[in-house]
Amino acid sequence: MPFGNIGIGGLILILIIALIIFGPSKLPELGRAFGRTLSEFKGATRGLINGEDENEKKDDAPQATAAANKQHS
């Protein structure tokens, strides 16, 4: 059974179970913690993607500098 197709009924069931287990006072706190975790994950993912681009540019820079030095010599 694939988990990609939960649907509205499944989400409501999960919410009810979470409400029973954690209680109404803990749900906002858990939601904030989940949101922070998700935003940190997104930031780290963007950092990795941007870091790879910067590394490629840095790797190309020494080659370009070496080529420029050979032309001037």
Side-chain angles (χ1 to χ4, degrees):
M1 181 163 124
F3 292 107
N5 254 349
I6 292 176
I8 299 294
L11 290 176
I12 291 172
L13 181 65
I14 290 170
L15 183 61
I16 291 171
I17 292 172
L19 186 61
I20 291 170
I21 292 174
F22 297 111
S25 62
K26 284 282 191 180
L27 283 183
E29 188 177 319
L30 290 172
R32 278 191 290 275
F34 180 73
R36 285 186 203 121
T37 303
L38 188 60
S39 66
E40 286 178 18
F41 178 75
K42 282 183 175 181
T45 304
R46 286 185 187 131
L48 287 174
I49 290 171
N50 292 338
E52 288 176 1
D53 292 342
E54 289 175 4
N55 287 340
E56 289 174 5
K57 290 178 184 176
K58 288 179 183 178
D59 290 342
D60 292 342
Q63 294 171 356
T65 306
N69 288 339
K70 285 181 183 178
Q71 290 177 354
H72 292 298
S73 297

